[in-house]
């Protein structure tokens, strides 16, 4: 059981380049989330998808777009990367919205130069 | 607004020492409370949770009690091991979203 998988694990971009971070879960979860983790700031929610076909902004959505491709997959796109987007990105999923435990992927370490 | 406050780290302990990591929260109502742990180079894992007042969550020797009166959910362990070295996050649900604290790094030395 793979749980939550993310690709790539590491990425270096130049300012202005675009890329898509991929996330997939095999637990038949309804809800999926994208976070970024920065030193001293904990985890901040970028976007989430409470159920297939819906997406909503989190705390720090500017500069990002998301697509809930199907129930399993939730991608995060940076259209024009900026150095401020250098961070570790985590995808997570949960059975449903509300009080359920979230399961996290291993993370993608992104550096924008 | 809703928030979680955790003690700043790093917390540095010798093996077999007693651990307390403080967590207090500001929230509307009585949310479910969580402790997540992040080992080096990995994603977060749920350590324990409590869903209502006076509940005690426990796992791997760690415990935390949901204190409604003091809006706290302090993490404790009686005897830490080197393998417990990690970053610990306190969190609660606000409608659809988890609200995280900034994390507390624990370093345990032999």
């Amino acid at each position: 059981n793979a749980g939550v998988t993310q690709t790539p694990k590491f990425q270096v971009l130049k300012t202005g380049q675009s890329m898509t971070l991929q996330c997939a879960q095999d637990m038949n979860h309804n809800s999926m989330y994208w976070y970024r983790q920065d030193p001293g700031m904990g985890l901040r929610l970028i976007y989430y998808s409470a159920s297939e076909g819906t997406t909503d902004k989190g705390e720090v959505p500017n500069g990002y777009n998301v697509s809930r491709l199907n129930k399993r997959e939730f991608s995060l796109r940076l259209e024009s990367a900026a150095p401020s987007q250098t961070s570790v990105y985590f995808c997570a999923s949960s059975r449903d919205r509300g009080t359920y435990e979230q399961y996290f992927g291993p993370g993608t370490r992104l550096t924008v130069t | 607004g809703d928030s979680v406050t955790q003690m700043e780290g790093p917390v540095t302990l010798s093996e077999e020492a007693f651990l307390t990591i403080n967590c207090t929260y500001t929230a509307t109502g009585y949310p479910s409370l969580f402790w997540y742990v992040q080992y080096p180079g990995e994603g977060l894992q749920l350590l324990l949770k409590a869903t209502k007042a006076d509940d005690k969550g426990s796992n791997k020797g760690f415990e935390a009690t949901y204190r409604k009166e003091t809006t706290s959910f302090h993490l404790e362990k009686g005897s830490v091991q080197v393998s417990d070295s990690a970053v610990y996050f306190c969190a609660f649900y606000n409608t659809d979203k988890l609200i995280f604290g900034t994390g507390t790094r624990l370093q345990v030395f032999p």
Side-chain angles (χ1 to χ4, degrees), chain B residues 55-94:
Chain B
D55 265 3
K56 178 184 284 187
S58 62
N59 186 27
K60 299 182 180 180
F62 291 89
E63 293 183 339
T65 301
Y66 191 140
R67 302 290 188 197
K68 183 176 67 174
E69 308 79 19
T70 55
T71 62
S72 64
F73 193 51
H74 304 322
L75 183 68
E76 297 181 335
K77 186 174 186 182
S79 176
V80 294
Q81 305 300 313
V82 172
S83 57
D84 294 327
S85 297
V87 181
Y88 293 81
F89 293 90
C90 185
F92 70 88
Y93 259 107
N94 172 0

Side-chain angles (χ1 to χ4, degrees), chain A residues 43-108:
Chain A
L43 274 78
R44 294 182 292 170
L45 184 66
I46 304 171
Y47 271 94
Y48 69 103
S49 172
S51 60
E52 187 179 358
T54 69
T55 60
D56 287 284
K57 294 178 180 179
E59 184 182 355
V60 288
N62 291 343
Y64 306 94
N65 285 301
V66 291
S67 296
R68 183 76 183 266
L69 302 170
N70 47 56
K71 192 171 186 178
R72 290 186 64 249
E73 299 172 288
F74 188 40
S75 63
L76 178 71
R77 183 160 178 84
L78 287 69
E79 290 290 352
S80 179
S84 61
Q85 294 178 305
T86 293
S87 188
V88 181
Y89 291 85
F90 289 100
C91 178
S93 71
S94 63
R95 178 179 154 187
D96 213 333
R97 53 195 285 180
T99 62
Y100 295 97
E101 170 187 356
Q102 290 188 14
Y103 294 80
F104 285 78
T108 295

Side-chain angles (χ1 to χ4, degrees), chain A residues 6 9-10 37 88-90 104-109, chain B residues 37-45 85-87 105:
Chain A
Q6 292 182 237
K9 289 189 176 181
F10 302 94
Q37 184 178 31
V88 181
Y89 291 85
F90 289 100
F104 285 78
T108 295
R109 185 173 295 275
Chain B
V37 58
Q38 183 180 28
Y39 298 103
E42 298 183 10
L44 279 70
Q45 306 171 27
S85 297
V87 181
R105 181 176 300 278

